[in-house]
Amino acid sequence: MTSWIEETDKTHGGAWQLRIKMDRILYQGESEFQSIAVFENRLYGRVLALDNIVQATENDEFFYHEMAVHVPLLAHGAVKRALIIGGGDGGALEETLRHPSVEAVTMAEIDAQVVAVAKQHLRTICGTAFEDPRTELVIADGVEYLEHCAERFDFVLIDSTDPTGFTGGQPQGPSAVLFSVEFYANCKRCMNPGAVLVTQNAVPFTDRAGLSTPMRNLATQFTDVACYRVAVPSFYGGDMVFSWGSDDPGLRHVPLERLSERFRAAALDTRYYTPEIHQGAFALPGYLRAIIEEGAG
């Protein structure tokens, strides 16, 4: 019997459904917080799904993780301390640790079982990042961690799961608080001057409020707010976006020559990121600009 994992639209009354064949199941289980599955697919390789929603696949994770990390780090140019909220698959952690300037990375991940599964089944994604001496893994709710955090960071990445939907423009579900004004205020409190915050905002074509609401909330805390794009093959709906918040507008306008110099100096071996892609990712099509303006209004 053929096994499939099915992800069904929750914001448009079931308007679409994504199905990926599970050629071989490597792990299925329930943690305190969610269902976890890792399986093999002939196109995507090993796939991580949480609550039946694809989070990462070994054959296209580099689209997401390289853009989540290298854009802000090469724009900043001197990140020493980084904080990742979520990201239990370890992909963003691994990419961050590839930068020679990085001295320490704290990861606050709520679900220890996701980390354990990644270490056992997804080494092509996380590598040895969890064993790196620069890594401090904190198993904790990211919101609670930030409320009591006394450290300061040059880069903060919110690598969370998506809200389950938006009602009246407000996020719903367990991760909803990670898109709130209060949460972004706590992020800013833990950031050094000139630091940058990046947060994933899923695919706006399928959920407009998933971009407009976080962008509006970020603008209450940062003087420079924007977003940039990447199309991840295993994510349904076209472009996904990362939102960006900083008080240094110059970080989004680093000249191509300087980005290229930093890229060469870091000796990064990338499969998606290039300095040219970095600059182009901030060029937004009209429909995305309209969504952002809608939120600002």
Side-chain angles (χ1 to χ4, degrees), residues 169-170 208-220 222 225-227 243 284 287-297:
Q170 297 305 309
R208 296 172 69 92
L211 174 61
S212 61
T213 298
M215 289 285 286
R216 181 176 64 247
N217 292 344
L218 279 170
T220 68
F222 297 97
V225 173
C227 68
S243 291
L284 302 182
Y287 88 95
L288 281 179
R289 290 201 298 268
I291 292 172
I292 294 168
E293 291 167 5
E294 172 185 294

Side-chain angles (χ1 to χ4, degrees), residues 106-209:
T106 300
M107 171 181 280
E109 163 61 51
I110 196 171
D111 196 337
Q113 187 62 19
V114 173
V115 175
V117 168
K119 289 166 72 173
Q120 182 176 358
H121 297 289
L122 299 171
R123 285 292 184 175
T124 52
I125 293 178
C126 67
T128 58
F130 291 111
E131 290 75 35
D132 192 296
R134 293 171 292 169
T135 297
E136 179 188 12
L137 176 63
V138 180
I139 301 301
D141 183 297
V143 176
E144 295 179 3
Y145 173 81
L146 275 173
E147 286 177 350
H148 300 96
C149 180
E151 297 186 58
R152 297 294 180 267
F153 303 95
D154 304 307
F155 168 53
V156 177
L157 173 64
I158 312 305
D159 189 11
S160 67
T161 55
D162 302 329
T164 56
F166 287 78
T167 302
Q170 297 305 309
Q172 306 297 314
S175 67
V177 68
L178 300 178
F179 299 85
S180 67
V181 171
E182 294 77 15
F183 178 72
Y184 293 147
N186 262 332
C187 288
K188 185 172 182 178
R189 181 182 58 79
C190 295
M191 294 167 63
N192 286 319
V196 60
L197 167 74
V198 167
T199 176
Q200 76 84 14
N201 289 127
V203 181
F205 179 79
T206 64
D207 195 348
R208 296 172 69 92

Side-chain angles (χ1 to χ4, degrees), residues 33-47:
F33 304 98
Q34 57 205 333
S35 67
I36 304 170
V38 177
F39 59 91
E40 291 181 345
N41 173 274
R42 67 192 65 180
L43 173 62
Y44 291 114
R46 294 191 174 192
V47 179

